[in-house]
Amino acid sequence: MNRRGGRGELLHVEGSMEADKYVYPPGVLGSEAAKALAEGKLTGIRCGEKLIVPPRPYCPDHSKGELVEVRGPWIVESFTIVYEDMYGNMLETPQVIAVLRHEDAEGSIVHFLKAEKPRVGMRTRPVFKSPEERNGTLGDILYFEPAEQASKK
Amino acid sequence: MEIPGKYVREEELRKMKGVIEYVPKAKYSYSAGQALSVFLRGLKEGKILGKRCSSCGRILLPPREFCESCFSPAGEWLELPQTGRVETASVSYISAKRGKLERPEIVAIIRLDAPGYRGDEPEFPGIFHRLCGVSEEDVMSGRVFGARVRARWRPAEQRAGSITDIECFERW
Amino acid sequence: MRTNVHVKKRVAIVGAGLTLFARRLLETPAELAWEAASRALGSAGLALKDIDCVVIGSAVDGFDGVHMKGEHIADGAGGLLRPTVRVAMGGGTGVMVPIAAWWHVASGLCKTVLAVGEEKMSHAYPHPQAVFAYIWHPILERPLGPNLIWIFALEMAWYMRECKASKEDIALVSVKNKRNALDNPHAQAAANITVEDVLKSETLVWPVQLLDISPVSDGAAALVLADESVARRITDTPVWIEGVGFALDSSFWYNRDLSYPRYVEQAARMAYKMAGIERPWKEIDIAEPHDPFDYKELHNLEGLMLARKCEAPRLLKEGHFERSGELPTSPSGGLLGMGNPIAASGLMKTAELFWQLRYEAGARQVKKAVHKAVASSWGGLMQTSTVIVLSR
């Protein structure tokens, strides 16, 4: 029995899985957090004793949390250095991506870190775009940079 | 009772803070696999090739490497007649993304005249394709159902090994 | 024979909740899941800590525009650090969610399950139709530039010819379901329309016109399932899951007769056998058949053996399927009236039967006494059927 499909190479057909674009609304709590971000404030939610970042619409026990401002400093918990973009092209300047923790909060945020010598435990603060450029997304923060206290150490 | 869920209009969304837009870029190269590669090459040569199940004997069109009913490997290749009958048809006024089509598109399921088939079996060798020489009225009045049709091919030099090497099925 | 599987625990539905169904909701997918789940837990008098396992259903990642959609909404669905699983069966997902939740409990694995279905179809532009383009075979079908509605139009035309049903006959489904939805506060497309309105609406792909189709929607739905010991403790009116069935047909949809859905019959026979139902057309009191398109309700009713082949249009005309009729169908308003956030709308159908069997459906409560009910979801390339039989 001839189980081979035939002579020669297999054919391929080009295609894609695309839409013109996706538009993601921020959600109910997210739109409050977005407004705060546009004002240069990072937020979290308070669930009883716990403070959780980034804010989410519900606490771990499924109850509703309260949105509160969370001020720094943000401490580097982990970081990585990225050399390629998402399509595999080399970046001109390698980018440091850091997991940033808050002393009083559970959870962490992920963002760019601009530091000469990134290290775990480094205390950082966000650098925002100018107010008129902000749109309430995480891109309103350009990057995190070492806080002054950190540079003293 | 308050119902959860806040409806937003498109214009409100435009003004809202925190909205993310993203354009996906996801390119694929789909392998045609063993059976379809032969089928597509056959189309390029102006042939409709099917397979016969080595176990139950049914004709598989489009061809596949295995018969999904009896789960045995499909057997011999055979060239099928290029004629058949319209089982059902529709008239589309919208594009794949739901835009308006300038000219409506008429498509059909065609039961091919395969050897050994009476023509009323619930399972049959079939093709999904465009109809030509058929008017919207022919479809809406039901005249086209059951109509005899045959494959109309693109000129040999324009064929690319694609289902669209058959331009359409036309009445005869 | 009453059952064809070994069922260790009898399973009841003890709570249900829905969000609003709408074209575009502000809530994120996880927020929608959370709202529906919280509502369902509340109606069962339970809290998340009482839940053992979670079953999530969503049809297609491409609608919300995130891969691993189950994982993305798991927190909202109550899945945090619990045995959690997602089922995805395309349009058949809605009823697959309570089916999967059922076997979690029936097997004795979990005592309580939160079952959540969610779909957010407003994220993709210019229209969710752009995402539906990828259900087609990339080599054999997509080069023809098909729109999702093509396949329904081809099936509907075949059904109309085979059953000598007219557009007028079929439009009555849309009229009925949209009218039923007027009593449903969650509904997106409730309306008092006439057959004339359907026939005058825009023709998209003949024979399908705009008002023959359920609108695309955002929304979520949730159920709480429990084993008999828990159910008896927390409610006087548990609704029992008596049978489940599901079946898939071949993806070569143009190799078979589409005028009758043999895979629906297969799924229905499995569920009825388990439920000990021999004559469904006599024994079933109320049904929520899948109705993404108006003809599809009739098609599914025939596959579910609630009408003989080609008999559903006549029964519809005679008022058989009205809320006041012999066999009320889609009393919720169905997908045509409620909107169609795919996994959520199928789950909504099971939720509606839960309320009907408990006589809690308010203005939507059907006239007749109800004991046994059936819901179905349908999907794929004319392929998937999921069926659940409930009793009070």
Side-chain angles (χ1 to χ4, degrees), chain A residues 13 15-31 56-58 60-64, chain C residues 26-28 30-31 34 37-38 48 62-65 75-76 78 80 120 123-126 131 134 139 142:
Chain A
V13 174
S16 70
M17 290 255 288
E18 295 173 354
D20 288 3
K21 63 176 175 181
Y22 280 94
V23 178
Y24 304 93
V28 174
L29 183 108
S31 52
R56 56 189 79 166
Y58 34 75
D61 68 353
H62 242 221
S63 64
K64 211 162 197 146
Chain C
L26 175 60
E27 283 80 0
T28 62
E31 281 177 330
W34 174 64
S38 302
L48 186 60
F63 291 132
D64 293 37
D75 283 5
L80 183 71
K120 192 142 197 252
H123 285 179
Y125 280 65
V131 176
Y134 305 112
I139 296 170
R142 223 192 280 166

Side-chain angles (χ1 to χ4, degrees), chain C residues 95 286-289 304 346 349-350 353 373-377 386-389:
Chain C
V95 167
I286 180 171
E288 280 278 353
L304 290 167
K349 285 186 163 279
T350 315
L353 295 179
V374 65
S376 75
S377 288
T386 50
V387 178
I388 193 164
V389 176

Side-chain angles (χ1 to χ4, degrees), chain B residues 2 4 11 17 44 78 87 137 151:
Chain B
E2 201 199 328
E11 311 83 75
K17 294 266 185 234
K44 206 169 174 181
L78 72 165
E87 282 293 352
E137 183 49 32

Side-chain angles (χ1 to χ4, degrees), chain A residues 2-7 10, chain B residues 33-35 38 41 51 65 77:
Chain A
N2 176 20
R3 288 207 53 199
R4 289 266 313 156
R7 306 162 300 276
L10 297 177
Chain B
Q34 302 274 357
V38 173
R41 271 199 215 97
K51 275 206 156 200
E65 275 295 292
W77 284 97

Side-chain angles (χ1 to χ4, degrees), chain B:
Chain B
M1 179 179 78
E2 201 199 328
I3 293 165
K6 285 197 175 66
Y7 172 67
V8 272
R9 291 189 323 246
E10 179 88 39
E11 311 83 75
E12 295 175 84
L13 190 69
R14 298 273 150 238
K15 287 183 219 145
M16 198 175 281
K17 294 266 185 234
V19 176
I20 301 277
E21 287 200 15
Y22 181 75
V23 179
K25 292 183 204 158
K27 306 289 184 206
Y28 290 82
S29 179
Y30 296 98
S31 169
Q34 302 274 357
L36 280 187
S37 290
V38 173
F39 175 69
L40 294 175
R41 271 199 215 97
L43 291 175
K44 206 169 174 181
E45 292 167 20
K47 293 177 190 166
I48 299 176
L49 299 176
K51 275 206 156 200
R52 192 191 293 280
C53 172
S54 54
S55 171
C56 67
R58 68 190 270 253
I59 292 175
L60 303 165
L61 181 80
R64 37 251 200 210
E65 275 295 292
F66 56 91
C67 169
E68 69 274 11
S69 298
C70 53
F71 226 52
S72 43
E76 56 172 9
W77 284 97
L78 72 165
E79 187 178 343
L80 290 170
Q82 303 187 359
T83 57
R85 199 177 74 202
V86 174
E87 282 293 352
T88 181
S90 68
V91 189
S92 181
Y93 298 91
I94 56 171
S95 71
K97 288 182 180 174
R98 211 203 175 289
K100 274 260 169 205
L101 285 179
E102 271 181 34
R103 272 191 321 165
E105 183 116 61
I106 296 178
V107 291
I109 296 176
I110 297 133
R111 179 196 291 260
L112 282 204
D113 297 328
Y117 281 75
R118 293 184 312 273
D120 60 352
E121 293 84 356
E123 283 186 298
F124 52 86
I127 274 194
F128 164 51
H129 221 294
R130 301 188 188 107
L131 293 182
C132 45
V134 168
S135 70
E136 295 163 56
E137 183 49 32
D138 288 339
V139 179
M140 294 181 191
S141 65
R143 275 197 298 276
V144 78
F145 298 105
R148 307 278 308 148
V149 291
R150 67 177 169 202
R152 184 205 281 179
W153 295 87
R154 283 184 198 286
E157 65 278 8
Q158 287 178 20
R159 293 185 207 144
S162 159
I163 190 73
T164 56
D165 288 352
I166 298 175
E167 202 177 325
C168 57
F169 278 75
E170 61 187 359
R171 293 178 88 151
W172 66 294

Side-chain angles (χ1 to χ4, degrees), chain C residues 73-329:
Chain C
I73 67 172
D75 283 5
L80 183 71
L81 294 174
R82 283 184 178 75
T84 299
V85 70
R86 169 193 178 187
V87 293
M89 300 270 288
T93 304
V95 167
M96 200 63 206
V97 179
I99 292 176
W102 168 85
W103 73 55
H104 278 68
V105 179
S107 63
L109 186 68
C110 320
K111 277 182 173 301
T112 51
V113 177
L114 186 52
V116 184
E118 180 274 339
E119 216 79 51
K120 192 142 197 252
M121 300 175 73
S122 63
H123 285 179
Y125 280 65
H127 192 276
Q129 286 292 351
V131 176
F132 277 124
Y134 305 112
I135 67 169
W136 298 98
H137 193 292
I139 296 170
L140 293 169
E141 298 160 16
R142 223 192 280 166
L144 299 171
N147 176 287
L148 169 78
I149 299 168
W150 287 19
I151 192 170
F152 290 94
L154 289 166
E155 184 177 78
M156 178 171 167
W158 200 334
Y159 177 76
M160 284 168 62
R161 179 177 56 123
E162 183 71 22
C163 295
K164 299 183 177 60
S166 66
K167 286 272 303 165
E168 286 82 354
D169 294 341
I170 288 171
L172 279 170
V173 176
S174 200
V175 172
K176 167 177 74 74
N177 291 4
K178 285 176 185 291
R179 190 179 53 229
N180 283 351
L182 288 168
D183 296 317
N184 200 324
H186 305 83
Q188 172 179 355
N192 241 325
I193 58 164
T194 61
V195 166
E196 185 91 316
D197 293 328
V198 179
L199 298 183
K200 275 203 218 141
S201 65
E202 184 189 1
T203 301
L204 301 172
V205 187
W206 186 89
V208 175
Q209 294 178 257
L210 188 64
L211 291 177
D212 289 312
I213 316 183
S214 60
V216 294
S217 322
D218 293 351
L223 297 176
V224 180
L225 275 64
D227 74 9
E228 187 165 7
S229 64
V230 176
R232 295 271 187 218
R233 199 170 67 234
I234 63 173
T235 178
D236 294 333
T237 48
V239 167
W240 303 104
I241 297 178
E242 300 287 1
V244 302
F246 43 107
L248 261 177
D249 209 326
S250 163
S251 61
F252 288 98
W253 53 275
Y254 43 98
N255 280 174
R256 50 188 160 89
D257 181 350
L258 297 180
S259 68
Y260 183 75
R262 60 182 187 183
Y263 51 96
V264 176
E265 181 182 328
Q266 179 115 356
R269 283 188 184 281
M270 176 178 164
Y272 293 144
K273 189 176 177 192
M274 201 182 294
I277 289 176
E278 286 169 0
R279 295 180 303 165
W281 55 93
K282 287 226 184 257
E283 295 176 57
I284 295 290
D285 299 308
I286 180 171
E288 280 278 353
H290 203 67
D291 64 324
F293 289 64
D294 45 11
Y295 83 93
K296 208 76 195 168
E297 172 159 323
L298 305 173
H299 206 240
N300 273 308
L301 283 170
E302 291 172 13
L304 290 167
M305 296 175 282
L306 299 175
R308 285 193 201 89
K309 199 172 176 221
C310 293
E311 189 193 29
R314 180 179 62 78
L315 292 174
L316 173 69
K317 223 185 296 184
E318 292 169 359
H320 194 73
F321 301 131
E322 300 289 332
R323 274 201 202 124
S324 54
E326 293 270 303
L327 176 70
T329 62

Side-chain angles (χ1 to χ4, degrees), chain C residues 356-375:
Chain C
Q356 291 281 351
L357 289 169
R358 282 160 62 115
Y359 294 88
E360 289 175 355
R364 299 190 308 283
Q365 189 65 45
V366 300
K367 281 254 171 68
K368 64 183 288 197
V370 284
H371 301 282
K372 285 184 183 167
V374 65

